[in-house]
Amino acid sequence: MAGRLDGKVAVITGGCSGIGLGTVELFVAEGAQVVAADIQDEKGAILEKRFPGQVVYAHCDVTSEADIEGALKKAKSEFGGLDILFNNAGISDRMTSIAEVTVEGWDWIYSILVRGPALGMKHAAPLMIERGGGSIINTASIAGLQAGFGPIAYSSAKAAVIHMSRVAAAQLSPQKIRVNAICPGLIATSIFGASFGATREMADQMAARVAELGATVQPVPKAGLPDDIAQAALYLASDMSAFVSGTHLVVDGGITVGGRHAWDQSQTSPFATILGLDEMPTAQG
Ligand code: NAP
């Protein structure tokens, strides 16, 4: 059966772990050749061995413009060109409140989450134009849509990613380059441990724990997994979404539909509590 990405070449940042790794695996299964760009060199070498001829690894710290440019050029030197860029590398932080914000911390988060994808788009566009068009996907977050899902710098950076994707979509449409964002909900990956300074092994164990417990967090009673986001990335990368640009796709098992009381029968609506509706006698007495 034909793959939905047959003949396509993709660069995926953060491609050695979590959502990025799940997307590398799915894109390869759908026929793409992939440059997995990350800072985890050992995992990158393992990926190259798993998928000879289909995956090459590029050491790419997305805070470095030279690294980003190098990873994108590798798509051309190794596989002949570039059709898809998934700007996905990321990390969270612990500056939970405004009072905890530091200049270094803020700039570090923005350099990875906002400047990295911006530079990725800058260097991807000329390569995609050579191919007659392409698809850029930026990983945002539900934290960029609502308060309460992440620290302040992280959340505002993800909101910036959503809007930057719209602006870039407008600018790159004439060149037949589509740009979209994905807003994942809670996905079982190592990012939670990594942001708390855990070792990679411990962070991977935390991901497994989220996979075990994640089914109870949102209306859809299953844990969010990297493949759930990879499937969304496949849709946006492929011709299935040929008429879709400048949007953000929320993939969160419904966690942003409303407060927990909206879907969890054990919870009471805050309105009902304030108005004392719980205690009112029913029409039947
Ligand atoms: P992950 O498993 O930790 O994967 C992220 C990858 O990016 C890791 O390999 C990480 O390496 C790498 N990375 C970190 N800093 C980098 C840099 N400067 N340059 C290049 N690579 C770098 O986490 P994930 O959950 O899959 O995260 C992927 C994206 O999804 C992120 O943008 C994240 O904000 C977003 N997201 C995740 C969730 C979720 O619930 N998991 C929800 C919403 C959005 P290290 O391990 O060495 O840091």
Side-chain angles (χ1 to χ4, degrees):
M1 206 176 75
R4 282 172 284 189
L5 297 178
D6 277 347
K8 302 284 187 194
V9 180
V11 171
I12 299 176
T13 70
C16 291
S17 177
I19 291 168
L21 175 59
T23 308
V24 169
E25 291 167 342
L26 182 63
F27 279 19
V28 165
E30 291 289 342
Q33 290 175 300
V34 180
V35 176
D38 206 308
I39 50 176
Q40 299 211 48
D41 297 346
E42 279 176 26
K43 288 188 181 171
I46 293 168
L47 260 184
E48 284 188 343
K49 277 200 188 116
R50 266 182 76 193
F51 301 111
Q54 285 177 288
V55 174
V56 295
Y57 172 71
H59 178 92
C60 171
D61 180 340
V62 297
T63 63
S64 155
E65 183 169 14
D67 278 10
I68 293 170
E69 195 178 2
L72 292 163
K73 284 194 166 154
K74 208 161 185 176
K76 185 169 178 181
S77 61
E78 296 281 336
F79 300 132
L82 178 70
D83 306 289
I84 300 155
L85 169 61
F86 188 20
N87 278 313
N88 165 75
I91 186 131
S92 190
D93 67 278
R94 282 183 281 171
M95 295 180 292
T96 309
S97 70
I98 293 174
E100 290 166 300
V101 167
T102 62
V103 170
E104 301 74 27
W106 188 276
D107 289 352
W108 177 64
I109 283 291
Y110 268 65
S111 69
I112 296 173
L113 298 183
V114 185
R115 195 183 71 199
L119 293 172
M121 293 194 287
K122 171 186 166 184
H123 290 288
L127 294 168
M128 290 179 174
I129 291 167
E130 286 177 18
R131 302 272 271 195
S135 172
I136 297 173
I137 305 149
N138 297 319
T139 303
S141 169
I142 56 167
L145 296 170
Q146 291 187 1
F149 288 117
I152 188 161
Y154 178 89
S155 301
S156 60
K158 291 302 192 181
V161 170
I162 293 167
H163 193 57
M164 183 169 70
S165 304
R166 281 190 207 109
V167 175
Q171 293 184 4
L172 295 174
S173 287
Q175 282 84 34
K176 297 195 174 131
I177 298 170
R178 297 183 295 108
V179 185
N180 293 288
I182 297 177
C183 296
L186 180 70
I187 306 299
T189 74
S190 312
I191 198 167
F192 307 102
S195 53
F196 280 89
T199 61
R200 286 208 169 111
E201 290 71 24
M202 277 172 64
D204 290 346
Q205 283 166 16
M206 279 178 80
R209 192 88 184 111
V210 177
E212 270 171 42
L213 300 176
T216 57
V217 170
Q218 66 279 306
V220 175
K222 83 173 217 50
L225 299 175
D227 187 60
D228 293 308
I229 306 305
Q231 297 289 346
L234 171 62
Y235 167 71
L236 292 173
S238 72
D239 291 342
M240 290 187 287
S241 61
F243 200 49
V244 179
S245 196
T247 195
H248 59 276
L249 185 52
V250 177
V251 186
D252 69 347
I255 200 168
T256 50
V257 293
R260 189 167 184 114
H261 64 280
W263 53 273
D264 182 344
Q265 304 276 309
S266 71
Q267 305 286 309
T268 312
S269 152
F271 286 179
T273 306
I274 286 169
L275 298 172
L277 297 180
D278 306 347
E279 311 200 345
M280 268 193 188
T282 61
Q284 286 78 31

mmCIF file of all heavy atoms in Angstrom, residues 14 16-20 37-40 60-63 88-91 112-113 139-142 154 158 184-192 194 200, ligand 1:
data_model
loop_
_atom_site.group_PDB
_atom_site.id
_atom_site.type_symbol
_atom_site.label_atom_id
_atom_site.label_comp_id
_atom_site.label_asym_id
_atom_site.label_seq_id
_atom_site.Cartn_x
_atom_site.Cartn_y
_atom_site.Cartn_z
ATOM 1 N N GLY A 14 13.749 17.752 17.954
ATOM 2 C CA GLY A 14 13.345 16.971 19.124
ATOM 3 C C GLY A 14 12.949 15.566 18.697
ATOM 4 O O GLY A 14 12.122 14.915 19.339
ATOM 5 N N CYS A 16 14.326 12.677 18.781
ATOM 6 C CA CYS A 16 14.834 11.464 19.440
ATOM 7 C C CYS A 16 14.034 11.083 20.680
ATOM 8 O O CYS A 16 14.379 10.105 21.360
ATOM 9 C CB CYS A 16 16.297 11.650 19.822
ATOM 10 S SG CYS A 16 17.360 11.718 18.377
ATOM 11 N N SER A 17 12.996 11.825 20.993
ATOM 12 C CA SER A 17 12.273 11.542 22.238
ATOM 13 C C SER A 17 10.808 11.928 22.078
ATOM 14 O O SER A 17 10.463 12.804 21.269
ATOM 15 C CB SER A 17 12.902 12.356 23.378
ATOM 16 O OG SER A 17 12.197 12.178 24.578
ATOM 17 N N GLY A 18 9.957 11.266 22.824
ATOM 18 C CA GLY A 18 8.568 11.679 22.971
ATOM 19 C C GLY A 18 7.822 11.876 21.659
ATOM 20 O O GLY A 18 7.817 11.013 20.776
ATOM 21 N N ILE A 19 7.202 13.036 21.539
ATOM 22 C CA ILE A 19 6.367 13.351 20.374
ATOM 23 C C ILE A 19 7.195 13.319 19.090
ATOM 24 O O ILE A 19 6.749 12.798 18.061
ATOM 25 C CB ILE A 19 5.727 14.742 20.570
ATOM 26 C CG1 ILE A 19 4.681 14.691 21.703
ATOM 27 C CG2 ILE A 19 5.108 15.258 19.273
ATOM 28 C CD1 ILE A 19 4.199 16.056 22.189
ATOM 29 N N GLY A 20 8.414 13.858 19.144
ATOM 30 C CA GLY A 20 9.263 13.874 17.956
ATOM 31 C C GLY A 20 9.618 12.472 17.504
ATOM 32 O O GLY A 20 9.547 12.147 16.316
ATOM 33 N N ALA A 37 16.472 15.686 14.213
ATOM 34 C CA ALA A 37 17.365 16.733 14.723
ATOM 35 C C ALA A 37 17.152 16.873 16.222
ATOM 36 O O ALA A 37 16.029 17.123 16.666
ATOM 37 C CB ALA A 37 17.054 18.049 14.010
ATOM 38 N N ASP A 38 18.218 16.716 16.988
ATOM 39 C CA ASP A 38 18.049 16.708 18.448
ATOM 40 C C ASP A 38 19.411 16.954 19.082
ATOM 41 O O ASP A 38 20.434 17.074 18.379
ATOM 42 C CB ASP A 38 17.465 15.335 18.894
ATOM 43 C CG ASP A 38 16.678 15.422 20.198
ATOM 44 O OD1 ASP A 38 17.217 15.959 21.180
ATOM 45 O OD2 ASP A 38 15.533 14.934 20.237
ATOM 46 N N ILE A 39 19.418 17.014 20.421
ATOM 47 C CA ILE A 39 20.700 17.135 21.133
ATOM 48 C C ILE A 39 21.060 15.825 21.826
ATOM 49 O O ILE A 39 22.026 15.762 22.571
ATOM 50 C CB ILE A 39 20.664 18.300 22.155
ATOM 51 C CG1 ILE A 39 19.425 18.208 23.053
ATOM 52 C CG2 ILE A 39 20.704 19.648 21.423
ATOM 53 C CD1 ILE A 39 19.365 19.269 24.153
ATOM 54 N N GLN A 40 20.293 14.776 21.582
ATOM 55 C CA GLN A 40 20.552 13.473 22.212
ATOM 56 C C GLN A 40 21.279 12.577 21.214
ATOM 57 O O GLN A 40 20.667 11.750 20.518
ATOM 58 C CB GLN A 40 19.227 12.820 22.629
ATOM 59 C CG GLN A 40 18.443 13.648 23.645
ATOM 60 C CD GLN A 40 17.629 12.767 24.571
ATOM 61 O OE1 GLN A 40 18.125 11.788 25.124
ATOM 62 N NE2 GLN A 40 16.366 13.099 24.739
ATOM 63 N N CYS A 60 21.456 19.023 16.604
ATOM 64 C CA CYS A 60 20.888 20.354 16.352
ATOM 65 C C CYS A 60 20.312 20.928 17.632
ATOM 66 O O CYS A 60 19.250 20.513 18.090
ATOM 67 C CB CYS A 60 19.796 20.231 15.272
ATOM 68 S SG CYS A 60 18.842 21.729 15.053
ATOM 69 N N ASP A 61 21.062 21.868 18.200
ATOM 70 C CA ASP A 61 20.537 22.626 19.332
ATOM 71 C C ASP A 61 19.763 23.800 18.729
ATOM 72 O O ASP A 61 20.359 24.656 18.054
ATOM 73 C CB ASP A 61 21.709 23.124 20.190
ATOM 74 C CG ASP A 61 21.238 23.935 21.391
ATOM 75 O OD1 ASP A 61 20.094 24.432 21.374
ATOM 76 O OD2 ASP A 61 22.030 24.072 22.340
ATOM 77 N N VAL A 62 18.460 23.842 18.968
ATOM 78 C CA VAL A 62 17.642 24.851 18.267
ATOM 79 C C VAL A 62 17.864 26.268 18.787
ATOM 80 O O VAL A 62 17.265 27.209 18.273
ATOM 81 C CB VAL A 62 16.134 24.492 18.276
ATOM 82 C CG1 VAL A 62 15.872 23.199 17.537
ATOM 83 C CG2 VAL A 62 15.572 24.463 19.699
ATOM 84 N N THR A 63 18.737 26.420 19.796
ATOM 85 C CA THR A 63 19.114 27.787 20.170
ATOM 86 C C THR A 63 20.232 28.307 19.258
ATOM 87 O O THR A 63 20.613 29.462 19.352
ATOM 88 C CB THR A 63 19.586 27.873 21.646
ATOM 89 O OG1 THR A 63 20.769 27.086 21.801
ATOM 90 C CG2 THR A 63 18.527 27.379 22.612
ATOM 91 N N ASN A 88 9.526 20.979 16.681
ATOM 92 C CA ASN A 88 8.894 20.316 17.824
ATOM 93 C C ASN A 88 9.748 20.303 19.091
ATOM 94 O O ASN A 88 9.218 20.112 20.181
ATOM 95 C CB ASN A 88 8.547 18.881 17.376
ATOM 96 C CG ASN A 88 8.218 17.983 18.534
ATOM 97 O OD1 ASN A 88 7.128 18.087 19.103
ATOM 98 N ND2 ASN A 88 9.148 17.129 18.919
ATOM 99 N N ALA A 89 11.068 20.526 18.957
ATOM 100 C CA ALA A 89 11.941 20.436 20.141
ATOM 101 C C ALA A 89 11.436 21.377 21.225
ATOM 102 O O ALA A 89 10.956 22.477 20.940
ATOM 103 C CB ALA A 89 13.366 20.833 19.773
ATOM 104 N N GLY A 90 11.513 20.923 22.457
ATOM 105 C CA GLY A 90 11.051 21.808 23.524
ATOM 106 C C GLY A 90 11.416 21.304 24.890
ATOM 107 O O GLY A 90 11.867 20.173 25.087
ATOM 108 N N ILE A 91 11.227 22.179 25.832
ATOM 109 C CA ILE A 91 11.495 21.885 27.238
ATOM 110 C C ILE A 91 10.585 22.800 28.034
ATOM 111 O O ILE A 91 10.154 23.831 27.528
ATOM 112 C CB ILE A 91 12.982 22.121 27.569
ATOM 113 C CG1 ILE A 91 13.329 21.678 28.986
ATOM 114 C CG2 ILE A 91 13.405 23.569 27.356
ATOM 115 C CD1 ILE A 91 14.540 20.813 29.065
ATOM 116 N N ILE A 112 14.376 28.617 22.751
ATOM 117 C CA ILE A 112 14.073 27.253 22.289
ATOM 118 C C ILE A 112 12.684 27.191 21.645
ATOM 119 O O ILE A 112 12.521 26.665 20.538
ATOM 120 C CB ILE A 112 14.146 26.250 23.467
ATOM 121 C CG1 ILE A 112 15.579 26.172 24.012
ATOM 122 C CG2 ILE A 112 13.663 24.854 23.038
ATOM 123 C CD1 ILE A 112 15.728 25.335 25.271
ATOM 124 N N LEU A 113 11.692 27.745 22.339
ATOM 125 C CA LEU A 113 10.296 27.507 21.924
ATOM 126 C C LEU A 113 9.799 28.461 20.841
ATOM 127 O O LEU A 113 8.895 28.110 20.081
ATOM 128 C CB LEU A 113 9.363 27.594 23.137
ATOM 129 C CG LEU A 113 9.583 26.569 24.255
ATOM 130 C CD1 LEU A 113 8.527 26.739 25.334
ATOM 131 C CD2 LEU A 113 9.576 25.131 23.732
ATOM 132 N N THR A 139 5.023 22.816 17.037
ATOM 133 C CA THR A 139 4.370 22.293 18.246
ATOM 134 C C THR A 139 4.133 23.432 19.227
ATOM 135 O O THR A 139 5.075 24.029 19.742
ATOM 136 C CB THR A 139 5.227 21.212 18.928
ATOM 137 O OG1 THR A 139 5.481 20.166 17.982
ATOM 138 C CG2 THR A 139 4.478 20.617 20.111
ATOM 139 N N ALA A 140 2.864 23.709 19.463
ATOM 140 C CA ALA A 140 2.483 24.676 20.498
ATOM 141 C C ALA A 140 2.046 23.866 21.715
ATOM 142 O O ALA A 140 2.695 22.882 22.082
ATOM 143 C CB ALA A 140 1.388 25.600 19.973
ATOM 144 N N SER A 141 0.936 24.254 22.338
ATOM 145 C CA SER A 141 0.449 23.540 23.530
ATOM 146 C C SER A 141 -0.903 24.119 23.911
ATOM 147 O O SER A 141 -1.188 25.289 23.626
ATOM 148 C CB SER A 141 1.422 23.742 24.699
ATOM 149 O OG SER A 141 0.851 23.271 25.908
ATOM 150 N N ILE A 142 -1.706 23.322 24.643
ATOM 151 C CA ILE A 142 -2.926 23.905 25.211
ATOM 152 C C ILE A 142 -2.558 24.981 26.232
ATOM 153 O O ILE A 142 -3.370 25.853 26.530
ATOM 154 C CB ILE A 142 -3.848 22.842 25.847
ATOM 155 C CG1 ILE A 142 -3.107 22.023 26.908
ATOM 156 C CG2 ILE A 142 -4.469 21.961 24.777
ATOM 157 C CD1 ILE A 142 -4.026 21.180 27.786
ATOM 158 N N TYR A 154 6.709 29.532 29.541
ATOM 159 C CA TYR A 154 6.360 28.432 28.635
ATOM 160 C C TYR A 154 5.014 28.705 27.960
ATOM 161 O O TYR A 154 4.877 28.592 26.745
ATOM 162 C CB TYR A 154 6.313 27.128 29.435
ATOM 163 C CG TYR A 154 5.919 25.904 28.630
ATOM 164 C CD1 TYR A 154 6.885 25.157 27.975
ATOM 165 C CD2 TYR A 154 4.588 25.494 28.531
ATOM 166 C CE1 TYR A 154 6.537 24.031 27.233
ATOM 167 C CE2 TYR A 154 4.225 24.374 27.796
ATOM 168 C CZ TYR A 154 5.205 23.640 27.153
ATOM 169 O OH TYR A 154 4.858 22.540 26.416
ATOM 170 N N LYS A 158 4.222 29.445 24.003
ATOM 171 C CA LYS A 158 3.380 28.582 23.164
ATOM 172 C C LYS A 158 2.262 29.384 22.488
ATOM 173 O O LYS A 158 1.875 29.091 21.357
ATOM 174 C CB LYS A 158 2.812 27.434 23.991
ATOM 175 C CG LYS A 158 3.881 26.414 24.435
ATOM 176 C CD LYS A 158 4.633 25.797 23.270
ATOM 177 C CE LYS A 158 5.482 24.602 23.658
ATOM 178 N NZ LYS A 158 6.216 24.016 22.534
ATOM 179 N N PRO A 184 -0.858 20.064 21.784
ATOM 180 C CA PRO A 184 -1.081 18.826 22.534
ATOM 181 C C PRO A 184 -1.612 19.134 23.931
ATOM 182 O O PRO A 184 -1.322 20.167 24.521
ATOM 183 C CB PRO A 184 0.317 18.200 22.633
ATOM 184 C CG PRO A 184 1.169 18.935 21.647
ATOM 185 C CD PRO A 184 0.577 20.303 21.532
ATOM 186 N N GLY A 185 -2.397 18.175 24.456
ATOM 187 C CA GLY A 185 -2.753 18.200 25.875
ATOM 188 C C GLY A 185 -1.676 17.453 26.636
ATOM 189 O O GLY A 185 -0.484 17.539 26.302
ATOM 190 N N LEU A 186 -2.082 16.692 27.663
ATOM 191 C CA LEU A 186 -1.087 15.940 28.448
ATOM 192 C C LEU A 186 -0.655 14.699 27.667
ATOM 193 O O LEU A 186 -1.469 13.803 27.412
ATOM 194 C CB LEU A 186 -1.683 15.518 29.792
ATOM 195 C CG LEU A 186 -0.721 14.719 30.674
ATOM 196 C CD1 LEU A 186 0.401 15.591 31.206
ATOM 197 C CD2 LEU A 186 -1.469 14.064 31.841
ATOM 198 N N ILE A 187 0.612 14.643 27.289
ATOM 199 C CA ILE A 187 1.148 13.524 26.517
ATOM 200 C C ILE A 187 2.275 12.888 27.332
ATOM 201 O O ILE A 187 3.143 13.600 27.864
ATOM 202 C CB ILE A 187 1.702 14.018 25.159
ATOM 203 C CG1 ILE A 187 0.639 14.830 24.382
ATOM 204 C CG2 ILE A 187 2.194 12.849 24.308
ATOM 205 C CD1 ILE A 187 -0.635 14.085 24.021
ATOM 206 N N ALA A 188 2.262 11.570 27.407
ATOM 207 C CA ALA A 188 3.235 10.850 28.238
ATOM 208 C C ALA A 188 4.614 10.881 27.582
ATOM 209 O O ALA A 188 4.912 10.069 26.701
ATOM 210 C CB ALA A 188 2.769 9.415 28.437
ATOM 211 N N THR A 189 5.429 11.839 27.982
ATOM 212 C CA THR A 189 6.801 11.941 27.476
ATOM 213 C C THR A 189 7.741 12.318 28.629
ATOM 214 O O THR A 189 7.290 12.567 29.748
ATOM 215 C CB THR A 189 6.928 13.030 26.385
ATOM 216 O OG1 THR A 189 6.863 14.320 27.012
ATOM 217 C CG2 THR A 189 5.853 12.920 25.323
ATOM 218 N N SER A 190 8.999 12.438 28.306
ATOM 219 C CA SER A 190 10.023 12.733 29.320
ATOM 220 C C SER A 190 10.090 14.202 29.702
ATOM 221 O O SER A 190 10.902 14.573 30.550
ATOM 222 C CB SER A 190 11.398 12.314 28.786
ATOM 223 O OG SER A 190 11.350 11.021 28.255
ATOM 224 N N ILE A 191 9.285 15.051 29.076
ATOM 225 C CA ILE A 191 9.444 16.498 29.268
ATOM 226 C C ILE A 191 9.220 16.915 30.716
ATOM 227 O O ILE A 191 9.846 17.860 31.201
ATOM 228 C CB ILE A 191 8.528 17.296 28.310
ATOM 229 C CG1 ILE A 191 9.009 18.751 28.196
ATOM 230 C CG2 ILE A 191 7.077 17.228 28.747
ATOM 231 C CD1 ILE A 191 8.386 19.527 27.048
ATOM 232 N N PHE A 192 8.353 16.169 31.424
ATOM 233 C CA PHE A 192 8.030 16.583 32.798
ATOM 234 C C PHE A 192 9.250 16.366 33.698
ATOM 235 O O PHE A 192 9.636 17.255 34.448
ATOM 236 C CB PHE A 192 6.809 15.816 33.312
ATOM 237 C CG PHE A 192 5.656 15.932 32.351
ATOM 238 C CD1 PHE A 192 5.328 14.896 31.485
ATOM 239 C CD2 PHE A 192 4.940 17.109 32.278
ATOM 240 C CE1 PHE A 192 4.304 15.033 30.561
ATOM 241 C CE2 PHE A 192 3.912 17.255 31.351
ATOM 242 C CZ PHE A 192 3.595 16.211 30.492
ATOM 243 N N ALA A 194 12.348 16.087 32.659
ATOM 244 C CA ALA A 194 13.456 16.915 32.170
ATOM 245 C C ALA A 194 13.347 18.327 32.738
ATOM 246 O O ALA A 194 14.348 18.925 33.139
ATOM 247 C CB ALA A 194 13.445 16.947 30.644
ATOM 248 N N ARG A 200 17.952 11.582 32.480
ATOM 249 C CA ARG A 200 17.138 11.113 31.341
ATOM 250 C C ARG A 200 16.405 9.826 31.696
ATOM 251 O O ARG A 200 15.250 9.624 31.319
ATOM 252 C CB ARG A 200 18.014 10.905 30.121
ATOM 253 C CG ARG A 200 18.430 12.242 29.524
ATOM 254 C CD ARG A 200 18.679 12.150 28.021
ATOM 255 N NE ARG A 200 18.820 13.486 27.478
ATOM 256 C CZ ARG A 200 19.956 13.993 27.014
ATOM 257 N NH1 ARG A 200 21.046 13.287 27.013
ATOM 258 N NH2 ARG A 200 19.989 15.208 26.523
HETATM 259 P P1 NAP B 1 10.563 15.214 25.194
HETATM 260 O O1 NAP B 1 10.223 13.766 25.193
HETATM 261 O O2 NAP B 1 11.414 15.742 26.295
HETATM 262 O O3 NAP B 1 11.194 15.562 23.779
HETATM 263 C C1 NAP B 1 11.764 16.814 23.509
HETATM 264 C C2 NAP B 1 13.088 16.606 22.809
HETATM 265 O O4 NAP B 1 13.630 17.902 22.484
HETATM 266 C C3 NAP B 1 14.118 15.909 23.715
HETATM 267 O O5 NAP B 1 14.884 14.999 22.980
HETATM 268 C C4 NAP B 1 14.954 17.075 24.186
HETATM 269 O O6 NAP B 1 16.251 16.708 24.617
HETATM 270 C C5 NAP B 1 14.987 17.905 22.927
HETATM 271 N N1 NAP B 1 15.476 19.250 23.168
HETATM 272 C C6 NAP B 1 15.436 19.992 24.305
HETATM 273 N N2 NAP B 1 16.061 21.159 24.127
HETATM 274 C C7 NAP B 1 16.512 21.174 22.853
HETATM 275 C C8 NAP B 1 17.250 22.083 22.076
HETATM 276 N N3 NAP B 1 17.671 23.247 22.598
HETATM 277 N N4 NAP B 1 17.526 21.779 20.796
HETATM 278 C C9 NAP B 1 17.110 20.603 20.262
HETATM 279 N N5 NAP B 1 16.442 19.674 20.945
HETATM 280 C C10 NAP B 1 16.141 19.958 22.236
HETATM 281 O O7 NAP B 1 9.240 16.110 25.244
HETATM 282 P P2 NAP B 1 7.913 16.129 24.340
HETATM 283 O O8 NAP B 1 6.780 16.151 25.278
HETATM 284 O O9 NAP B 1 7.959 15.127 23.263
HETATM 285 O O10 NAP B 1 8.027 17.599 23.738
HETATM 286 C C11 NAP B 1 7.917 17.886 22.357
HETATM 287 C C12 NAP B 1 7.164 19.194 22.195
HETATM 288 O O11 NAP B 1 5.820 19.015 22.651
HETATM 289 C C13 NAP B 1 7.717 20.354 23.009
HETATM 290 O O12 NAP B 1 7.727 21.520 22.203
HETATM 291 C C14 NAP B 1 6.726 20.508 24.132
HETATM 292 O O13 NAP B 1 6.684 21.813 24.648
HETATM 293 C C15 NAP B 1 5.440 20.119 23.436
HETATM 294 N N6 NAP B 1 4.339 19.716 24.302
HETATM 295 C C16 NAP B 1 4.414 18.585 25.058
HETATM 296 C C17 NAP B 1 3.330 18.241 25.858
HETATM 297 C C18 NAP B 1 3.345 16.998 26.716
HETATM 298 O O14 NAP B 1 2.408 16.822 27.520
HETATM 299 N N7 NAP B 1 4.333 16.132 26.610
HETATM 300 C C19 NAP B 1 2.187 19.036 25.878
HETATM 301 C C20 NAP B 1 2.154 20.170 25.091
HETATM 302 C C21 NAP B 1 3.224 20.492 24.295
HETATM 303 P P3 NAP B 1 16.531 16.636 26.225
HETATM 304 O O15 NAP B 1 15.780 15.475 26.737
HETATM 305 O O16 NAP B 1 18.010 16.502 26.299
HETATM 306 O O17 NAP B 1 16.024 17.939 26.810
#
